[in-house]
Amino acid sequence: MIGPGKYDEQAQRVFDETRANAVMVVVCGGSAGHGVSCKGRTPFDNVALAKLLRDIAQQLHRDTAAAVGMKTYSIGLDERSITCLVCGMTSWNLNDVTHLYCGKCHQFHEP
């Protein structure tokens, strides 16, 4: 996120108080509406934030799926492929299909 954000003051405050390398403030339905503001010491910190966000998104998807009894994968009609509904990757490796494994997420799905 390059440029001004709706919650830059809050992100700056957290950044200063925590002395972190990077912070991200994500707000849903706040006083200024939905918004995201980031603050990092170097451009590489943005890369670290991006990876962290991917990990968080995958975990949120898994946790939500588990809470409502939703599967996080689908097996192909021919039962020779598995598609991870968290990251979207499809594998035709029969070991992945057998063990409900996603090579991109490096996670085993719950049956």
Side-chain angles (χ1 to χ4, degrees), residues 59-79:
Q59 192 59 52
L60 280 171
H61 193 304
R62 279 192 180 81
D63 292 350
T64 302
V68 299
M70 187 175 97
K71 288 187 177 182
T72 56
Y73 67 93
S74 69
I75 301 294
L77 293 175
D78 60 1
E79 297 186 356

Side-chain angles (χ1 to χ4, degrees), residues 40-55:
R41 296 193 187 283
T42 72
F44 298 106
D45 294 321
N46 291 335
V47 175
L49 282 175
K51 183 190 180 320
L52 179 60
L53 280 174
R54 279 191 298 275
D55 294 346

Side-chain angles (χ1 to χ4, degrees), residues 7-21:
Y7 294 96
D8 286 346
E9 289 179 27
Q10 291 84 352
Q12 185 67 52
R13 189 168 51 250
V14 172
F15 184 75
D16 293 340
E17 289 176 8
T18 62
R19 297 186 202 138
N21 288 334

